[in-house]
Amino acid sequence: MAALQTDSTTAADGTPPDLAQRFDDTIARDQRIEPRDWMPDGYRKTLIRQVAQHAHSEIIGMQPEGEWITRAPSLRRKAILFAKVQDEAGHGLYLYSAAETLGADRTDLTERLLEGRQKYSSIFNYPTLSFADVGVIGWFVDGAAICNQVPLCRSSYGPYARAMVRICKEESFHQRQGYELLMTMMRGTDAQREMVQDAVNRWWWPSLMMFGPPDDSSPNSAQSMAWKIKRHSNDELRQRFVDMTVPQAEKLGVTLPDPELRWNEERGRHDFGTPDWDELMRVIKGDGPCNTERIERRRAAHEEGAWVREAAVAHAAKQAAEKQNGAVA
Amino acid sequence: MSDTQAKKGGWPLYEVFVRGKRGLNHVHVGSLHAADDRMALTHARDLYTRRNEGVSIWVVRSENIAASTRDEKDPFFDPSADKVYRHPTFYDIPDDVPHI
Amino acid sequence: MSDDHVYLSLAEGHEDGDARWAFGTGFEDPLYGVSTAVPEGVDPAELAACCLALGDDALVTAQRLAEWTTRAPELEEEVALANIGLDLLGQARLLYARCGQVDGTERGEDAYAYFRDADDFRSVRLAELPNGDFAFSMARLLVLSAWRLAHFERLAASADPVLAAVAAKGVKELTYHRQYAAEWVVRLGDGTAESRRRMQAGLDQVMPYVSELFAAYDAGETVLAVLRQVTEAATLSLPAVPEAAAGSGREGEHTEHLAALLADLQSVARAHPEATW
C-alpha cells in the first residue's frame, strides 16, 4: 500500500529511517503497534483524539439511559439497566486507559471535553423521553456501535484493539437486552406499542448519523484508513447497519421512518433516504437538544467531586509519610 | 505522580494484571486511577472482574507492586459469581432474529 | 468489505481463545436446590415480615445508590457504587420473592416494589434520606452495611432455608460494602480539612437514625464497635447515639423523603399497571 504518512519518516526530523520503516511494515502486515514503538506524531495525535472521543462518548452516553434506572418499571429491567450503565463507565475507563498508553492524561482529556475541544458521539445529544427509548437505544445505538467497533478490534494500535475486543464482547448483550425489551413491549399493551414506535421514529435518523458525514465530506478519513486506525468508511458502516437492522425491525413489527427504504435486488443491499446532514452539523457544533445538559452534568460531577479526590490524595500522602517515618525509626 | 496530576488532584495511574482461573500467568488487562494501592485493588476488582473473571489481581505503580491475598478471595470475588444477566444467553430471543 | 457476521468476526485472530481475558463462565443460582416449602416450626407471617422489611431496606438503599449514577466523584467510583447497588437490588429481589411465597398472596417481586404506598414500606428511615454529599452517603452506607451484615450473619442460620441461603450470599456482599464505606470514611476523615469537616458532619447527621436500626435488630454492640474502630482510624469523633426519635420505619412511619423516592421509582410501572416489561 502506498504510504500516506507525511510528517514523520525521514531524516529531516532526525528520526532514523529504519524506525519509520518498521512502523510502515508493521501497519502493512496488519500487525499491532504497541506503546513503546516509534510512531509518527500525527498517528499518535490522531489516535489520542479518536480514543479519547470514544471514551468521552461512553461516559456521556451513561446519561440518557442512566436517568431511567430509578424509574425502570420492573426490578429485572432495573437491574439490567443499572448493569448496562455501569458497563458504559467501565468502557470509558478501558478507553481512557488506552489513551493514556499514548502519553495522554485523563484529567487533561476531561478538561478538553468540558471545554469543547474534544467531542463525543452526537447521538447522545438527544433526549430519552420514555422507557421505550432505553430499548431503542440498546437496539439502534449499541447496534451501530457494534458495527463501528468490531472492525476496530483489528485497529493497528494494540491497546485500542484490545480494549475494543473487551468492549465488543460486553456490548453484544447490551444490544440484545434492548431488543428483548422492545419485543416484550411490542407483545404488550397498545400504549407500549405506541411508545416503541414513537421511540423508533425519533432515534432512527440520529442513529444513521452516528456513522458520521458521507464519505465525500470526510476529509480526515484517508489518513486514518492508511494508518489502519479506521478500518471502514462511514458509508460502508452505515449501509451495513441498515442491512442488519431492517429484518430486525420486521421481526419486531415496527416501521422504520424512511419512505425511501427498500431492498435493492441488484445491489444486494437496502436503498435508503438521505439523513439531514445539516442537523448533524448543528448537533456536532453544540446546537442539539441536550448538548448543554450533557456537558453541564459531567462538569458538575467533576467539580463537585474534586474535594473527594483531593482528600484521597491527601490521605495517601499521609499514609506514605507515616510509613516512611516508621521505617526510619 | 507528576506535578500536574498533583495540582489537579489527579490520582496516579496503576497497571492491572489479572490471573484467570484457566491461565497460568497474570495477564495485563489495562490500567486505572487510584489514590493508593488499596483503592487500586478495589477498583481493579470492580472494573476488571465484573464478569466472574480472575482470581488474583496485581496492581503496580511505577515504584511498587501490590497483590491481593488468597485469604480475601471470597468477599473479594464471589459477589460477581451469579450476575446472570451479564451473558447473552440470559435473554430469550428467538433464534431467527438475524444478526443479534 | 467482507460480509462476515459482526459477531463472528469478534473471534478473529485469537487462536488462544478467551484465556487472555480470563473469562469465567458459570453462574451459580444461590437458591438452586433449595426447597421453597416453609419448614415446620417457622411462622410464615413472621418470616414474610422479616423478608419484606429487609427487602425494603435493600430496595430503598439501592435506589439512593442509583441516584449517584453520572454524579460520582470519580469514574472508578461509578463502577463501585453500581456494584453495591446491584448487590442490594439482587438481595431485594430474592427477599421479595420469598415474601410472596410465604405470605399467602403469591405476589411477585414487582408487586412489592411498585404497587405499595410509602406507609406500607417497612424500611428503616436512614435508608430513605436523600444522598447529601459523598461523605454523608459513605457514613450512611457504613452504618447500614455494618448493621445489615450483623443481621445477615445471624440469618445465615435461619430455619428457613431460602432466607438462610440469601443471607449467606449477602454476607459476602455486605462484607465488601462495609469495607468500601469504611475505607472512604477513613480517607475523608483523615484527608483534607474540608473532607474532615464534611465527614464529621456526615456522621453527625446519620447518628439520630441509628437507634431505630438497633430497635429493629439489636446489633448495637457490633455496629458501635465498627464505628469506633473506623472513626478512630479516620481521626474523627464518634457522636453519641441519641434516643430514638419518634416514628419507626418498621411501623410504616417514614419521613417525607420516602414518598418522593417512591413517586419516582413507581412512576412508569403505575402509569401502565397492566403492562408486562
Side-chain angles (χ1 to χ4, degrees), chain A residues 21 33 55 110-111 113 121 142 157 161 190 196 208 229 235-236 250 258 272 284 298 305 311 324:
Chain A
Q21 189 60 56
I33 304 295
T110 302
E111 281 172 11
L113 167 69
S121 183
D142 286 296
Y157 187 57
D190 289 344
V196 173
L208 292 189
I229 293 172
D235 288 340
E236 280 175 330
E250 277 161 22
D258 180 358
F272 53 97
I284 287 177
R298 184 73 192 98
Q324 214 163 37

Side-chain angles (χ1 to χ4, degrees), chain A residues 98-132:
Chain A
E100 285 183 296
T101 67
L102 289 158
D105 169 71
R106 195 210 293 177
T107 308
D108 178 65
L109 296 176
T110 302
E111 281 172 11
R112 286 171 194 264
L113 167 69
L114 296 176
E115 290 164 18
R117 288 185 286 151
Q118 281 179 347
K119 301 206 171 291
Y120 54 92
S121 183
S122 58
I123 191 72
F124 299 119
N125 289 315
Y126 293 86
T128 42
L129 300 180
S130 78
F131 197 68

Side-chain angles (χ1 to χ4, degrees), chain A residues 86-87 97 100 166 180 248, chain B residues 31 33 50 53 86 98:
Chain A
Q86 180 196 37
D87 278 355
S97 165
E100 285 183 296
R166 194 178 187 99
E180 196 227 356
Q248 293 169 347
Chain B
S31 65
H33 287 268
R50 290 178 298 126
E53 310 155 29
R86 292 190 185 281

Side-chain angles (χ1 to χ4, degrees), chain C:
Chain C
M1 179 173 77
S2 74
D3 217 8
D4 55 309
H5 187 291
V6 288
Y7 296 106
L8 294 180
S9 57
L10 282 177
E12 275 175 25
H14 296 301
E15 301 77 16
D16 52 336
D18 285 344
R20 54 203 291 281
W21 291 117
F23 262 39
T25 50
F27 288 113
E28 296 133 34
D29 175 1
L31 298 185
Y32 181 74
V34 173
S35 156
T36 57
V38 180
E40 289 279 324
V42 174
D43 173 20
E46 226 176 86
L47 176 59
C50 180
C51 291
L52 186 68
L54 291 171
D56 286 345
D57 286 341
L59 179 66
V60 173
T61 306
Q63 182 80 350
R64 287 303 187 207
L65 286 167
E67 290 171 3
W68 275 107
T69 306
T70 72
R71 295 178 169 94
E74 190 41 290
L75 296 176
E76 282 83 357
E77 306 318 317
E78 292 276 354
V79 177
L81 292 169
N83 257 342
I84 296 171
L86 279 162
D87 282 348
L88 291 169
L89 185 53
Q91 290 178 17
R93 297 181 65 193
L94 292 170
L95 290 162
Y96 285 147
R98 187 52 174 158
C99 191
Q101 283 167 0
V102 307
D103 73 358
T105 65
E106 290 180 21
R107 278 177 286 181
E109 60 188 6
D110 291 336
Y112 294 99
Y114 295 96
F115 296 99
R116 287 185 302 141
D117 295 335
D119 50 15
D120 293 321
F121 270 69
R122 296 290 174 263
S123 41
V124 292
R125 289 179 305 151
L126 181 55
E128 73 212 31
L129 301 178
N131 276 329
D133 66 6
F134 193 69
F136 175 79
S137 284
M138 288 300 103
R140 189 240 299 272
L141 184 63
L142 175 62
V143 169
L144 282 178
S145 4
W147 174 71
R148 192 175 174 89
L149 174 60
H151 198 171
F152 271 39
E153 279 169 340
R154 179 75 183 280
L155 290 174
S158 167
D160 178 51
V162 176
L163 182 54
V166 174
K169 173 176 184 268
V171 161
K172 294 174 183 173
E173 297 172 344
L174 291 162
T175 303
Y176 177 79
H177 303 173
R178 185 185 67 169
Q179 180 74 16
Y180 177 83
E183 287 177 3
W184 270 112
V185 170
V186 170
R187 275 183 210 118
L188 297 179
D190 192 21
T192 61
E194 176 176 8
S195 71
R196 166 185 305 238
R197 178 181 59 77
R198 288 179 183 250
M199 195 62 247
Q200 186 66 65
L203 283 166
D204 294 343
Q205 286 152 19
V206 163
M207 291 318 269
Y209 295 90
V210 164
S211 297
E212 182 185 326
L213 302 188
F214 301 158
Y217 175 74
D218 186 12
E221 264 185 51
T222 311
V223 173
L224 289 173
V226 166
L227 287 177
R228 253 176 254 121
Q229 186 185 353
V230 174
T231 49
E232 192 182 308
T235 69
L236 297 167
S237 62
L238 179 62
V241 178
E243 289 268 317
S248 155
R250 285 287 191 262
E251 312 294 322
E253 294 156 358
H254 295 281
T255 69
E256 72 274 20
H257 302 296
L258 184 62
L261 179 153
L262 292 175
D264 187 39
L265 194 157
Q266 300 176 340
S267 52
V268 178
R270 289 199 183 211
H272 306 268
E274 305 307 312
T276 305
W277 300 93

Side-chain angles (χ1 to χ4, degrees), chain A:
Chain A
M1 142 178 315
L4 269 178
Q5 49 267 32
T6 50
D7 53 330
S8 52
T9 62
T10 68
D13 67 351
T15 306
D18 55 298
L19 285 178
Q21 189 60 56
R22 199 176 305 155
F23 174 83
D24 290 346
D25 291 345
T26 306
I27 301 276
R29 279 192 228 110
D30 232 358
Q31 287 171 338
R32 300 287 170 264
I33 304 295
E34 296 294 349
R36 290 235 151 91
D37 295 343
W38 180 90
M39 60 185 79
D41 214 44
Y43 179 86
R44 183 190 303 268
K45 289 194 171 119
T46 302
L47 260 177
I48 288 178
R49 188 177 179 80
Q50 175 168 330
V51 176
Q53 295 193 150
H54 195 166
H56 298 325
S57 299
E58 294 282 351
I59 300 305
I60 298 293
M62 293 169 67
Q63 291 183 37
E65 291 168 286
E67 55 182 78
W68 287 93
I69 297 172
T70 56
R71 293 176 282 176
S74 78
L75 295 184
R76 179 171 172 261
R77 294 293 171 198
K78 196 181 190 81
I80 290 169
L81 185 57
F82 206 173
K84 183 190 187 200
V85 174
Q86 180 196 37
D87 278 355
E88 284 159 10
H91 295 173
L93 285 167
Y94 299 152
L95 289 162
Y96 284 128
S97 165
E100 285 183 296
T101 67
L102 289 158
D105 169 71
R106 195 210 293 177
T107 308
D108 178 65
L109 296 176
T110 302
E111 281 172 11
R112 286 171 194 264
L113 167 69
L114 296 176
E115 290 164 18
R117 288 185 286 151
Q118 281 179 347
K119 301 206 171 291
Y120 54 92
S121 183
S122 58
I123 191 72
F124 299 119
N125 289 315
Y126 293 86
T128 42
L129 300 180
S130 78
F131 197 68
D133 287 35
V134 169
V136 170
I137 286 178
W139 179 29
F140 286 170
V141 177
D142 286 296
I146 289 167
C147 279
N148 204 23
Q149 287 166 187
V150 167
L152 292 174
C153 296
R154 286 173 288 119
S155 162
S156 58
Y157 187 57
Y160 189 31
R162 289 190 286 276
M164 291 316 310
V165 170
R166 194 178 187 99
I167 288 171
C168 284
K169 283 183 172 170
E170 296 183 357
E171 214 140 270
S172 65
F173 90 89
H174 290 177
Q175 191 194 21
R176 291 182 195 201
Q177 77 197 16
Y179 192 82
E180 196 227 356
L181 170 61
L182 298 177
M183 285 197 55
T184 305
M185 290 180 71
M186 288 305 287
R187 291 196 201 116
T189 65
D190 289 344
Q192 285 178 299
R193 277 192 293 275
E194 278 166 32
M195 215 188 280
V196 173
Q197 183 62 63
D198 176 67
V200 166
N201 293 344
R202 284 180 288 103
W203 286 94
W204 175 247
W205 291 106
S207 298
L208 292 189
M209 294 183 210
M210 267 185 86
F211 297 97
D215 291 350
D216 52 27
S217 316
S218 287
N220 297 319
S221 283
Q223 180 65 86
S224 291
M225 304 261 295
W227 278 329
K228 300 195 180 171
I229 293 172
K230 187 182 167 75
R231 304 294 310 225
H232 297 291
S233 78
N234 296 352
D235 288 340
E236 280 175 330
L237 292 172
R238 193 174 358 256
Q239 179 70 61
R240 170 180 270 206
F241 173 71
V242 172
D243 292 333
M244 194 171 88
T245 308
V246 167
Q248 293 169 347
E250 277 161 22
K251 261 260 150 348
L252 207 48
V254 297
T255 308
L256 297 173
D258 180 358
E260 294 177 57
L261 182 60
R262 67 178 58 81
W263 177 252
N264 182 321
E265 191 59 50
E266 261 178 54
R267 291 204 302 136
R269 298 255 183 265
H270 293 88
D271 291 337
F272 53 97
T274 307
D276 180 355
W277 298 122
D278 289 338
E279 179 182 328
L280 176 61
M281 284 306 122
R282 282 198 309 274
V283 173
I284 287 177
K285 290 203 168 89
D287 194 28
C290 297
N291 297 52
T292 309
E293 185 186 323
R294 300 287 180 241
I295 289 293
E296 286 319 300
R297 171 68 69 87
R298 184 73 192 98
R299 185 195 315 283
H302 187 66
E303 288 174 4
E304 283 161 24
W307 69 269
V308 176
R309 299 191 298 272
E310 283 156 19
V313 169
H315 179 75
K318 288 186 195 182
Q319 297 296 100
E322 252 171 65
K323 200 169 166 185
Q324 214 163 37
N325 290 343
V328 164

